[in-house]
PDB file of all heavy atoms in Angstrom:
ATOM      1  N   ASP A 323      66.733 -15.969 132.040  1.00  0.00           N
ATOM      2  CA  ASP A 323      68.088 -15.796 132.599  1.00  0.00           C
ATOM      3  C   ASP A 323      67.987 -15.159 133.961  1.00  0.00           C
ATOM      4  O   ASP A 323      68.436 -14.028 134.176  1.00  0.00           O
ATOM      5  CB  ASP A 323      68.972 -14.977 131.655  1.00  0.00           C
ATOM      6  CG  ASP A 323      69.553 -15.878 130.580  1.00  0.00           C
ATOM      7  OD1 ASP A 323      69.741 -17.090 130.877  1.00  0.00           O
ATOM      8  OD2 ASP A 323      69.817 -15.392 129.477  1.00  0.00           O
ATOM      9  N   ASP A 324      67.342 -15.789 134.924  1.00  0.00           N
ATOM     10  CA  ASP A 324      67.266 -15.295 136.279  1.00  0.00           C
ATOM     11  C   ASP A 324      68.678 -15.506 136.864  1.00  0.00           C
ATOM     12  O   ASP A 324      69.311 -16.463 136.556  1.00  0.00           O
ATOM     13  CB  ASP A 324      66.291 -16.063 137.173  1.00  0.00           C
ATOM     14  CG  ASP A 324      64.951 -16.264 136.438  1.00  0.00           C
ATOM     15  OD1 ASP A 324      64.642 -15.388 135.630  1.00  0.00           O
ATOM     16  OD2 ASP A 324      64.262 -17.257 136.753  1.00  0.00           O
ATOM     17  N   THR A 325      69.068 -14.597 137.723  1.00  0.00           N
ATOM     18  CA  THR A 325      70.235 -14.861 138.475  1.00  0.00           C
ATOM     19  C   THR A 325      69.758 -15.400 139.892  1.00  0.00           C
ATOM     20  O   THR A 325      69.098 -14.672 140.571  1.00  0.00           O
ATOM     21  CB  THR A 325      71.078 -13.632 138.709  1.00  0.00           C
ATOM     22  OG1 THR A 325      71.455 -13.122 137.390  1.00  0.00           O
ATOM     23  CG2 THR A 325      72.397 -13.858 139.468  1.00  0.00           C
ATOM     24  N   ILE A 326      70.105 -16.603 140.177  1.00  0.00           N
ATOM     25  CA  ILE A 326      69.598 -17.116 141.449  1.00  0.00           C
ATOM     26  C   ILE A 326      70.792 -17.588 142.342  1.00  0.00           C
ATOM     27  O   ILE A 326      71.871 -17.991 141.833  1.00  0.00           O
ATOM     28  CB  ILE A 326      68.631 -18.307 141.262  1.00  0.00           C
ATOM     29  CG1 ILE A 326      69.328 -19.476 140.540  1.00  0.00           C
ATOM     30  CG2 ILE A 326      67.400 -17.898 140.422  1.00  0.00           C
ATOM     31  CD1 ILE A 326      68.546 -20.782 140.649  1.00  0.00           C
ATOM     32  N   ASP A 327      70.551 -17.541 143.629  1.00  0.00           N
ATOM     33  CA  ASP A 327      71.554 -17.920 144.603  1.00  0.00           C
ATOM     34  C   ASP A 327      71.224 -19.374 144.950  1.00  0.00           C
ATOM     35  O   ASP A 327      70.155 -19.649 145.507  1.00  0.00           O
ATOM     36  CB  ASP A 327      71.483 -16.996 145.828  1.00  0.00           C
ATOM     37  CG  ASP A 327      72.400 -17.509 146.904  1.00  0.00           C
ATOM     38  OD1 ASP A 327      73.249 -18.399 146.661  1.00  0.00           O
ATOM     39  OD2 ASP A 327      72.276 -16.946 148.036  1.00  0.00           O
ATOM     40  N   LEU A 328      72.136 -20.281 144.622  1.00  0.00           N
ATOM     41  CA  LEU A 328      71.909 -21.709 144.817  1.00  0.00           C
ATOM     42  C   LEU A 328      71.663 -22.049 146.348  1.00  0.00           C
ATOM     43  O   LEU A 328      70.777 -22.819 146.693  1.00  0.00           O
ATOM     44  CB  LEU A 328      73.081 -22.519 144.323  1.00  0.00           C
ATOM     45  CG  LEU A 328      72.996 -23.124 142.933  1.00  0.00           C
ATOM     46  CD1 LEU A 328      74.228 -24.043 142.704  1.00  0.00           C
ATOM     47  CD2 LEU A 328      71.700 -23.881 142.735  1.00  0.00           C
ATOM     48  N   ALA A 329      72.473 -21.350 147.179  1.00  0.00           N
ATOM     49  CA  ALA A 329      72.368 -21.658 148.645  1.00  0.00           C
ATOM     50  C   ALA A 329      70.973 -21.281 149.131  1.00  0.00           C
ATOM     51  O   ALA A 329      70.343 -22.035 149.887  1.00  0.00           O
ATOM     52  CB  ALA A 329      73.435 -20.873 149.383  1.00  0.00           C
ATOM     53  N   ASP A 330      70.536 -20.128 148.658  1.00  0.00           N
ATOM     54  CA  ASP A 330      69.220 -19.648 149.044  1.00  0.00           C
ATOM     55  C   ASP A 330      68.089 -20.567 148.558  1.00  0.00           C
ATOM     56  O   ASP A 330      67.182 -20.965 149.272  1.00  0.00           O
ATOM     57  CB  ASP A 330      69.034 -18.269 148.510  1.00  0.00           C
ATOM     58  CG  ASP A 330      67.766 -17.581 149.011  1.00  0.00           C
ATOM     59  OD1 ASP A 330      67.599 -17.624 150.288  1.00  0.00           O
ATOM     60  OD2 ASP A 330      66.986 -17.061 148.246  1.00  0.00           O
ATOM     61  N   THR A 331      68.241 -20.996 147.277  1.00  0.00           N
ATOM     62  CA  THR A 331      67.256 -21.919 146.691  1.00  0.00           C
ATOM     63  C   THR A 331      67.224 -23.231 147.516  1.00  0.00           C
ATOM     64  O   THR A 331      66.138 -23.724 147.825  1.00  0.00           O
ATOM     65  CB  THR A 331      67.649 -22.264 145.261  1.00  0.00           C
ATOM     66  OG1 THR A 331      67.885 -21.033 144.593  1.00  0.00           O
ATOM     67  CG2 THR A 331      66.559 -23.015 144.542  1.00  0.00           C
ATOM     68  N   ALA A 332      68.394 -23.746 147.862  1.00  0.00           N
ATOM     69  CA  ALA A 332      68.457 -25.029 148.606  1.00  0.00           C
ATOM     70  C   ALA A 332      67.768 -24.848 149.983  1.00  0.00           C
ATOM     71  O   ALA A 332      67.020 -25.756 150.395  1.00  0.00           O
ATOM     72  CB  ALA A 332      69.886 -25.443 148.779  1.00  0.00           C
ATOM     73  N   ARG A 333      67.997 -23.716 150.599  1.00  0.00           N
ATOM     74  CA  ARG A 333      67.418 -23.500 151.915  1.00  0.00           C
ATOM     75  C   ARG A 333      65.927 -23.552 151.848  1.00  0.00           C
ATOM     76  O   ARG A 333      65.215 -24.212 152.633  1.00  0.00           O
ATOM     77  CB  ARG A 333      67.866 -22.110 152.413  1.00  0.00           C
ATOM     78  CG  ARG A 333      68.143 -22.071 153.922  1.00  0.00           C
ATOM     79  CD  ARG A 333      68.896 -20.804 154.295  1.00  0.00           C
ATOM     80  NE  ARG A 333      70.299 -20.911 153.988  1.00  0.00           N
ATOM     81  CZ  ARG A 333      71.059 -20.015 153.305  1.00  0.00           C
ATOM     82  NH1 ARG A 333      70.437 -18.972 152.793  1.00  0.00           N
ATOM     83  NH2 ARG A 333      72.335 -20.172 153.126  1.00  0.00           N
ATOM     84  N   ARG A 334      65.303 -22.872 150.857  1.00  0.00           N
ATOM     85  CA  ARG A 334      63.857 -22.893 150.666  1.00  0.00           C
ATOM     86  C   ARG A 334      63.326 -24.304 150.402  1.00  0.00           C
ATOM     87  O   ARG A 334      62.311 -24.716 150.930  1.00  0.00           O
ATOM     88  CB  ARG A 334      63.449 -21.973 149.521  1.00  0.00           C
ATOM     89  CG  ARG A 334      63.534 -20.515 149.895  1.00  0.00           C
ATOM     90  CD  ARG A 334      63.346 -19.748 148.649  1.00  0.00           C
ATOM     91  NE  ARG A 334      63.953 -18.428 148.787  1.00  0.00           N
ATOM     92  CZ  ARG A 334      63.344 -17.307 148.601  1.00  0.00           C
ATOM     93  NH1 ARG A 334      62.090 -17.342 148.215  1.00  0.00           N
ATOM     94  NH2 ARG A 334      63.961 -16.164 148.756  1.00  0.00           N
TER      95      ARG A 334
END
Side-chain angles (χ1 to χ4, degrees):
D323 279 331
D324 312 334
T325 301
I326 61 163
D327 174 12
L328 265 187
D330 188 48
T331 310
R333 217 165 281 129
R334 284 170 205 233

